[in-house]
Amino acid sequence: KRAGDTATVRVALARFRTTCPGSALAGEAAALRGWILYDAGELDAAEAGFALAARERVEKIKQSAQRGLEAIARKRSTP
């Protein structure tokens, strides 16, 4: 993502989610993918990722997911 290749990151994170759903990194991957989708304007898909990440035990991931869900709510309420 830092290299700016979001298309590759999106595919890799989606693949990771389907092949490793029980991974300790699944929530972090879901939050990261949520932000990438949010930036692309794909709010429904981003919301699904943030909702998944919000169930994580790691506080930093939960906070990122919550910020993402709040950002989506703000964006949807803005005409």
Side-chain angles (χ1 to χ4, degrees), residues 12-64:
L13 289 172
R15 186 176 307 132
F16 178 79
R17 184 173 158 207
T18 58
T19 59
C20 305
S23 169
L25 299 175
E28 185 174 1
L32 176 57
R33 187 167 186 266
W35 284 111
I36 290 168
L37 293 167
Y38 174 84
D39 290 342
E42 297 179 38
L43 300 184
D44 291 339
E47 185 175 39
F50 290 138
L52 178 68
R55 297 191 301 254
E56 279 295 306
R57 286 183 263 175
V58 178
E59 192 61 33
K60 182 178 176 181
I61 295 169
K62 285 171 51 172
Q63 289 175 358
S64 177

